[in-house]
Amino acid sequence: RKSSRGDDAGWLDKLRIPTRLDEAFEKLLETLDHERYHTPALGLRPTVENTRSMQYTRVDEHHICTGRWTTHISNLAASHVKDSTQAQMEDIIRILGALLEHKVHRSPADIVFTTILLRSMDDFQAVNQKYAELFGTRPNPPARVTVACGNMLPLEVNVMVSVVVALGPDVARQHLHVQSISYWAPANIGPYSQATSVRLDSDDDAPALVYVAGQIPLVPSSMAVVTRTRPSEESQSEQDVASFRLQTTLALQHLWRIGKAMDVAWWVGALAFVVAGEDDIKDKASIAALAWRKIHIPEKNGRPIEGSTPTDDTGFDVWNERCMEGRSTLTTGHKNKVLPDFSCLSVVSDNRAGRSNGHSAIPPLFTIEVAQLPRSSQIEWQGLGVSRAAVSFFEPIQEHGNSITACSMVSNEKIFGFIGIGLLSTEDQVYNQIEAAISRLLQRCRIPGTADGHRRIYTSHEMDLNRLRAQVIPCRSVWNIQGEELSAAMVVEYEREVDR
């Protein structure tokens, strides 16, 4: 292109390129860089992970849990298929299709979130190809997270799949499916959406659950994993940890930007999947936990950190309107300007409720160590958010040494709740402890009944899955929001009507 003077004016060099990190996340990175880490562990880490696998009771028996708005189909595997990982995935797709049609009475178009567990990330492309066939030419596939668990997967299982199926009409959902390259957030280059929301009622302004896909630290404009140049006098270990701090911050910013685009006001819970070695897992778990705590702590003037401030740099291109086929889509404006939005929050402590000042209200976070992540990333953030909702946050309590944190929201006499439980023991008594602790928490929250909702458990230890009736994510280690190692973490999501 020529200038009006007829010569090359270097106009490209004059264009303003947005900074990689917004102000709030630049401050977060500075904080992470100045902290000292290495939190003592609790001594529960397996020492022979590379020689053992999880032991399940009848791993091929899937689990189905149906709630008010969603159905969870968990632990789909095909260990009886010996040919290849791709062949196992093909059989899983067949099983899933039959379950959707005959048990849930829905179709693949109703899936809103998928968890894919691989033995090796080398199988990602082969699995991805079969997974894409499940949705055909559908323009809005579900959000998803994909991790490799290594030898923690059950014997002869190379891939395991769990899905969340929306039970309401398609018009009650929104999808964020951005495929254009920009400076905003990474484009989705596979059969998934960056996020999918499910409204809890038919009203357009009803509260919604927002499932955000796993976010890795890709530079949006190049789609390459971010790198960091450090002083040469630093050791390789120091440089690796410094690079991890940047990856943690950038991937978390992606989660924030997508959350704000989907009008998320509060995260009810989140996961940080990390790849680490014996020498640096404590540091990485502490960094992820600190980042999550700091981004939720208000500034000294009482205003919450807002994440990415809306500017003309944060706009994005939505997937071609002509492909929507009447489905709801998003505008390019940010409707919720603050994340976290403490104005929607009430904190419950000692059976007393009040508006939060933000100092104690930090959503549950678990850091999950896995074998591999996509693109050889070191961290992948994944969150479940709520929009247009009044949220009750129940301050953490302790039961037999196990920590419990919960959030809940109510919509027209319907309740969605999220409980995060950090477990210090996997002995037989822990099962009764879990049930007792959940029951007490529900009483404290004034919610009758038991938490018979969907359960997910993250652990490196052998557990009786039939007894737990849970989706399982086998991993190398689990860490809490204080950067302490746990034996296991459990998440309970429950959906119910308010009893009268």
Side-chain angles (χ1 to χ4, degrees):
R1 174 174 169 175
K2 300 288 185 180
S3 70
S4 59
R5 299 191 304 272
D7 58 347
D8 291 319
W11 64 275
L12 283 174
D13 295 334
K14 298 178 181 179
L15 290 177
R16 182 173 64 90
I17 297 176
T19 58
R20 183 164 55 194
L21 295 174
D22 297 326
E23 181 180 0
F25 288 90
E26 190 68 57
K27 290 180 180 178
L28 175 61
L29 180 59
E30 291 176 4
T31 299
L32 298 182
D33 281 341
H34 286 90
E35 287 287 334
R36 293 294 179 264
Y37 304 101
H38 212 69
T39 303
L42 300 181
L44 299 171
R45 181 178 174 83
T47 58
V48 291
E49 185 278 330
N50 60 337
T51 62
R52 65 185 289 273
S53 293
M54 294 293 293
Q55 297 299 309
Y56 297 119
T57 303
R58 300 287 300 276
V59 68
D60 287 327
E61 287 193 0
H62 54 267
H63 175 62
I64 298 179
C65 178
T66 298
R68 174 65 177 81
W69 303 286
T70 63
T71 288
H72 294 255
I73 305 175
S74 304
N75 308 333
L76 291 170
S79 59
H80 58 280
V81 177
K82 311 297 184 183
D83 296 342
S84 65
T85 302
Q86 189 175 42
Q88 286 192 5
M89 187 64 182
E90 186 173 6
D91 202 59
I92 289 172
I93 296 301
R94 178 189 61 79
I95 296 170
L96 176 58
L99 291 173
L100 287 171
E101 180 179 0
H102 301 295
K103 296 290 187 180
V104 187
H105 307 294
R106 291 295 187 272
S107 75
D110 296 303
I111 298 174
V112 292
F113 190 79
T114 303
T115 300
I116 299 179
L117 307 179
L118 300 173
R119 182 173 295 276
S120 170
M121 202 54 73
D122 293 341
D123 293 323
F124 179 77
Q125 292 300 331
V127 167
N128 211 34
Q129 180 181 348
K130 286 298 176 184
Y131 178 73
E133 294 175 3
L134 180 63
F135 307 103
T137 59
R138 179 192 173 200
N140 290 317
R144 76 177 184 191
V145 64
T146 303
V147 302
C149 300
N151 288 339
M152 301 307 292
L153 275 182
L155 294 172
E156 299 183 334
V157 171
N158 295 328
V159 56
M160 192 154 62
V161 175
S162 300
V163 299
V164 182
V165 183
L167 301 180
D170 189 53
V171 293
R173 304 169 211 157
Q174 286 186 318
H175 307 268
L176 182 61
H177 189 84
V178 182
Q179 291 187 310
S180 58
I181 301 296
S182 69
Y183 290 101
W184 176 69
N188 58 355
I189 53 177
Y192 69 94
S193 295
Q194 281 90 346
T196 302
S197 69
V198 179
R199 289 203 308 268
L200 274 58
D201 280 307
S202 58
D203 186 359
D204 288 345
D205 294 325
L209 304 177
V210 182
Y211 298 87
V212 179
Q215 298 300 310
I216 61 176
L218 297 176
V219 178
S221 58
S222 66
M223 296 298 289
V225 175
V226 69
T227 58
R228 194 177 194 186
T229 303
R230 299 289 294 177
S232 58
E233 60 268 21
E234 287 188 354
S235 67
Q236 186 61 51
S237 176
E238 290 173 325
Q239 293 183 34
D240 290 344
V241 173
S243 179
F244 180 79
R245 294 195 293 264
L246 175 58
Q247 289 198 17
T248 296
T249 305
L250 181 60
L252 188 57
Q253 178 176 271
H254 297 336
L255 184 75
W256 240 246
R257 287 183 168 181
I258 291 169
K260 294 181 76 171
M262 295 295 287
D263 201 23
V264 169
W266 188 258
W267 302 109
V268 294
L271 301 167
F273 294 97
V274 301
V275 176
E278 291 284 351
D279 296 332
D280 61 0
I281 179 57
K282 299 182 186 69
D283 287 345
K284 290 184 174 181
S286 297
I287 290 168
L290 179 62
W292 187 251
R293 294 197 307 270
K294 289 293 185 181
I295 207 66
H296 284 91
I297 295 176
E299 296 175 337
K300 292 182 179 179
N301 60 7
R303 288 167 42 201
I305 294 175
E306 296 186 2
S308 54
T309 302
T311 68
D312 55 354
D313 296 332
T314 58
F316 59 93
D317 297 323
V318 178
W319 178 234
N320 198 324
E321 288 280 351
R322 68 182 175 83
C323 293
M324 291 301 104
E325 298 179 353
R327 294 179 174 87
S328 174
T329 187
L330 299 171
T331 63
T332 58
H334 293 284
K335 292 177 284 184
N336 193 69
K337 302 299 183 183
V338 178
L339 177 60
D341 183 0
F342 290 96
S343 68
C344 74
L345 194 70
S346 293
V347 171
V348 178
S349 177
D350 295 328
N351 293 320
R352 294 188 298 273
R355 286 294 173 187
S356 169
N357 61 12
H359 292 289
S360 61
I362 300 176
L365 169 76
F366 295 114
T367 299
I368 312 299
E369 184 193 359
V370 295
Q372 295 171 295
L373 292 171
R375 300 288 192 92
S376 299
S377 301
Q378 297 299 297
I379 188 167
E380 181 173 7
W381 289 96
Q382 192 264 312
L384 176 62
V386 293
S387 66
R388 302 181 297 276
V391 178
S392 295
F393 176 87
F394 301 89
E395 289 190 332
I397 61 175
Q398 298 288 325
E399 287 285 348
H400 302 283
N402 302 318
S403 62
I404 306 176
T405 306
C407 296
S408 70
M409 68 175 183
V410 179
S411 170
N412 293 341
E413 302 184 356
K414 302 177 181 66
I415 298 175
F416 172 81
F418 181 101
I419 304 174
I421 307 172
L423 303 173
L424 298 181
S425 173
T426 54
E427 301 296 330
D428 277 348
Q429 62 179 351
V430 80
Y431 300 103
N432 293 331
Q433 291 175 8
I434 290 172
E435 300 300 334
I438 292 174
S439 178
R440 285 190 190 86
L441 181 64
L442 293 180
Q443 291 175 8
R444 182 183 176 206
C445 302
R446 302 185 182 91
I447 299 172
T450 59
D452 53 358
H454 174 67
R455 303 179 180 196
R456 297 195 310 275
I457 188 163
Y458 305 82
T459 185
S460 59
H461 293 258
E462 298 176 8
M463 301 192 81
D464 186 343
L465 298 186
N466 283 350
R467 190 172 179 183
L468 282 171
R469 307 184 313 279
Q471 175 186 348
V472 65
I473 293 85
C475 54
R476 292 181 169 180
S477 63
V478 185
W479 305 75
N480 66 13
I481 199 169
Q482 285 76 41
E484 301 167 328
E485 188 172 6
L486 302 171
S487 180
M490 176 179 281
V491 170
V492 182
E493 298 174 20
Y494 57 91
E495 308 168 3
R496 65 183 61 196
E497 304 284 344
V498 177
D499 290 345
R500 289 297 183 185

